[in-house]
Amino acid sequence: MNMNKQYVFKIILQLLSGICLMNISCKKYIDQGPITSTYGAEFWTSQTSVEQASLAMYGQLRNCLRIAPAYNHGEASIFVNGDLVSGNFLPIKNDFLDYSLKASNAPPFNFSYVPYGSDVLQNWSRFYQLIAQCNLILKNVPAMPSSLFESESKRKSYIGEALFMRAYTYFYITRIWGDPVYVTQSYDDVDYGNIPPLPRSPEAAVLDSCIKDLKTAAGYLGYTAGDPSKTLRGNKGSVNALLAHIYAWKHDYVNAHLACQEVINNGGYSLEPISTYKNIWKGQKSNESIFEISMTYNANDPNFSNQSAWAEAQFDCFATFLKGPVVNNEKSQCWVSPINGFIDAFLDTTNDLRYKAAYAHIPASNGDVEGYIVMKYTEFNYQKPETFTLPYLNNNLVLFRLSDIYLLDAEARAYTNDLEGARTALSMTEDRAGITSYQDPTNQYDMVDEVVIERGRELTGEGQWYYDLIRTEPTQGWLEYFGYPTDRVNPVNKGYYWPLDLATLFPQDKLLTQNPWWATHK
């Protein structure tokens, strides 16, 4: 599958009217590439075609999460959105992110100042290509005869996977930009040029729709008994993990707890021992993994033999967190968690076993400050293994894992004042790290703080922690702790969301509006 091309979309409405597989380009709606459409009835004639469309759906998610701005040093957007703006890291010195996305700037974490990367970091268009692919599957597969599939349950599994992926994508959009444009319709050739302007929908209503879809998907998909070889596709475990996150985002902690318990009790997953902790990111190697994106090196894929879009293998993407001898001196700069920052404040570098397993101290060099780097993504392969030359990073991107669900359950229990239950869930990851308890909170909100900190210790470098800060901001104030002005992150202004690139999007959709804080701040 040719995944070299980076899709450059002009407007969201154009994306909604043209659908394409990952290895091809749709007419009229991108700037380059051949034409091969998949919305014609002639395509949807076999299980093989549906499998191809489904694989393209997962491939597009990979592109959405790892795509990087044109002039940066390879920092994938999942890490920019989920880690960098949490205040945990300092970006590469003199990179354009260095000028805007850190607390020491005035104003701090100024999302609107990304002079070379607004087409990526402020433009949600690529996610709507993925949503369009999901909608295409959800339109066509239910209309296909069951006889075209090996079984009716197989046909329903494709529907369940598409429902899961669409819900995941809308949830991801919501956590970055807030209210999305909610579209479930698949557009055909006859709709070209006739799609009306589409307003944004309230995030609460969109998430309710996602919950409804996920409940349907749960009935179509099964658990995998924690089999790590089956983590690349949506399954009942990933569906319930996503449900838990959506309920927590809505502060519906009763249902968040129930969804977490469904995963914990029925998913068949188990925590990876600390002795093999980095198996989690080696690619389908850990019973802790629930859902991950394939990014491991493939010697048989020609995309890896040159400077292609598969850049995570070439010290791009994952090497956002790595430099120096760790990556065979292929990079001299990376994101650093600085001295007296998060790690020194919240992680016991003497006794916490995760420090040795997942972090490393580095001196100041090449413009980077002294501090700590994340070592989760340091599995290697070689293009020429016989001589150990042409090294490549060889990891997968894990989106849901069991420790995340234990800690989300601890948060849910804390907010419902079940302190003992929260303590038990919290101990699952802290005990694995060799720490009986960093704290023993005796009230609800101190317990939530301990859970937030533990999620930072456990999930740093996985594109998650910033959303934990947003979710718990109303009671805990973590965003202010890391440098956000109070008036910016209040419930009215919602300045923790990114601005939209209206210069690109608004001319073609006059109903789009800017996020509240960015409507009056530059």
Side-chain angles (χ1 to χ4, degrees):
M1 188 177 289
N2 180 6
M3 293 193 186
N4 277 343
K5 298 190 182 299
Q6 293 190 1
Y7 297 91
V8 183
F9 294 90
K10 292 183 178 179
I11 55 172
I12 182 175
L13 296 180
Q14 292 174 332
L15 285 170
L16 297 174
S17 59
I19 316 298
C20 58
L21 289 178
M22 264 304 293
N23 64 323
I24 51 185
S25 303
C26 307
K27 65 180 179 180
K28 300 182 182 178
Y29 298 110
I30 65 173
D31 296 332
Q32 58 182 348
I35 300 171
T36 311
S37 65
T38 62
Y39 46 79
E42 67 277 3
F43 178 82
W44 303 95
T45 57
S46 68
Q47 180 175 313
T48 300
S49 66
V50 177
E51 176 70 8
Q52 182 183 9
S54 297
L55 291 176
M57 178 177 66
Y58 290 105
Q60 181 58 26
L61 176 60
R62 172 196 171 276
N63 258 19
C64 286
L65 299 181
R66 60 102 20 233
I67 194 168
Y71 291 96
N72 74 348
H73 289 73
E75 302 94 339
S77 61
I78 185 174
F79 302 136
V80 175
N81 294 134
D83 288 293
L84 183 59
V85 294
S86 70
N88 197 341
F89 294 95
L90 289 179
I92 293 169
K93 187 70 174 176
N94 296 324
D95 183 14
F96 78 85
L97 296 177
D98 178 53
Y99 295 114
S100 58
L101 297 182
K102 59 184 182 182
S104 60
N105 284 10
F109 303 110
N110 186 13
F111 297 169
S112 68
Y113 183 65
V114 280
Y116 301 112
S118 61
D119 59 322
V120 170
L121 295 177
Q122 296 183 32
N123 190 323
W124 57 18
S125 295
R126 66 191 185 279
F127 292 98
Y128 281 91
Q129 182 190 9
L130 172 53
I131 289 168
Q133 185 73 8
C134 297
N135 288 342
L136 186 67
I137 294 170
L138 292 170
K139 174 185 176 181
N140 288 280
V141 175
M144 296 172 68
S146 296
S147 59
L148 296 177
F149 298 85
E150 63 186 51
S151 66
E152 175 62 11
S153 63
K154 184 65 175 178
R155 184 171 76 100
K156 286 185 175 179
S157 73
Y158 285 118
I159 297 171
E161 288 182 68
L163 287 169
F164 163 71
M165 286 290 287
R166 187 172 69 183
Y168 182 89
T169 306
Y170 273 122
F171 181 52
Y172 199 89
I173 290 172
T174 296
R175 292 191 301 179
I176 298 171
W177 289 285
D179 299 342
V181 171
Y182 187 63
V183 181
T184 58
Q185 179 179 351
S186 178
Y187 293 95
D188 295 329
D189 255 348
V190 295
D191 299 305
Y192 289 172
N194 298 315
I195 304 172
L198 299 170
R200 300 174 73 174
S201 299
E203 65 174 82
V206 173
L207 295 181
D208 284 343
S209 296
C210 291
I211 289 170
K212 181 179 178 181
D213 283 349
L214 290 170
K215 288 181 176 180
T216 301
Y220 290 167
L221 298 169
Y223 285 113
T224 62
D227 184 350
S229 70
K230 298 180 179 179
T231 54
L232 300 182
R233 307 284 291 254
N235 57 73
K236 197 166 186 176
S238 58
V239 165
N240 281 300
L242 179 55
L243 272 171
H245 270 278
I246 293 177
Y247 280 128
W249 192 260
K250 288 169 59 67
H251 301 117
D252 180 354
Y253 283 111
V254 172
N255 280 312
H257 164 64
L258 293 175
C260 287
Q261 286 296 296
E262 178 69 23
V263 176
I264 292 166
N265 294 330
N266 299 317
Y269 307 105
S270 59
L271 292 179
E272 187 72 32
I274 197 67
S275 60
T276 53
Y277 190 57
K278 286 199 288 187
N279 278 356
I280 296 169
W281 302 281
K282 284 186 178 181
Q284 299 176 274
K285 300 293 185 184
S286 176
N287 295 103
E288 182 167 332
S289 179
I290 298 172
F291 180 55
E292 59 190 74
I293 299 297
S294 179
M295 292 188 176
T296 53
Y297 173 70
N298 183 351
N300 296 319
D301 190 329
N303 289 299
F304 285 102
S305 63
N306 53 47
Q307 297 299 313
S308 71
W310 289 82
E312 62 272 4
Q314 301 169 20
F315 306 108
D316 203 341
C317 187
F318 292 132
T320 292
F321 304 104
L322 302 170
K323 69 175 183 177
V326 176
V327 286
N328 290 359
N329 296 308
E330 294 281 343
K331 287 180 78 241
S332 60
Q333 292 178 295
C334 70
W335 293 358
V336 176
S337 184
I339 292 294
N340 298 321
F342 175 85
I343 290 179
D344 283 331
F346 299 118
L347 193 146
D348 183 345
T349 58
T350 301
N351 297 305
D352 192 319
L353 299 176
R354 284 171 299 197
Y355 176 70
K356 183 177 180 180
Y359 299 92
H361 175 266
I362 57 167
S365 65
N366 296 304
D368 290 343
V369 299
E370 179 186 5
Y372 306 91
I373 59 175
V374 175
M375 297 284 285
K376 293 176 178 179
Y377 307 111
T378 52
E379 182 70 9
F380 280 91
N381 206 331
Y382 297 88
Q383 188 175 342
K384 294 184 177 180
E386 68 279 4
T387 58
F388 295 98
T389 55
L390 299 178
Y392 289 85
L393 287 174
N394 195 49
N395 301 271
N396 272 0
L397 181 62
V398 177
L399 300 181
F400 293 132
R401 58 186 177 101
L402 183 60
S403 54
D404 165 27
I405 301 304
Y406 272 126
L407 292 172
L408 200 63
D409 193 35
E411 180 183 317
R413 288 171 179 261
Y415 270 118
T416 54
N417 213 27
D418 176 10
L419 297 187
E420 191 56 40
R423 192 172 288 109
T424 298
L426 183 64
S427 70
M428 299 303 293
T429 58
E430 291 189 345
D431 285 358
R432 175 174 64 176
I435 304 299
T436 302
S437 180
Y438 271 91
Q439 300 182 42
D440 189 15
T442 57
N443 67 72
Q444 181 181 29
Y445 296 114
D446 285 350
M447 179 65 78
V448 174
D449 271 347
E450 177 60 16
V451 173
V452 172
I453 295 168
E454 175 63 8
R455 285 184 65 84
R457 290 187 287 252
E458 181 66 31
L459 301 172
T460 288
E462 299 181 46
Q464 285 222 47
W465 202 47
Y466 182 61
Y467 311 121
D468 299 334
L469 305 184
I470 295 175
R471 187 176 61 246
T472 60
E473 168 64 22
T475 61
Q476 309 305 116
W478 277 101
L479 289 172
E480 289 96 329
Y481 177 86
F482 283 105
Y484 287 86
T486 300
D487 65 330
R488 173 171 160 180
V489 296
N490 65 33
V492 174
N493 286 325
K494 297 182 178 180
Y496 38 74
Y497 289 142
W498 284 74
L500 284 168
D501 180 15
L502 290 186
T504 300
L505 299 174
F506 182 75
Q508 302 298 329
D509 185 355
K510 300 297 184 181
L511 297 183
L512 281 183
T513 54
Q514 185 58 276
N515 283 328
W517 176 259
W518 302 111
T520 56
H521 294 77
K522 299 295 183 181

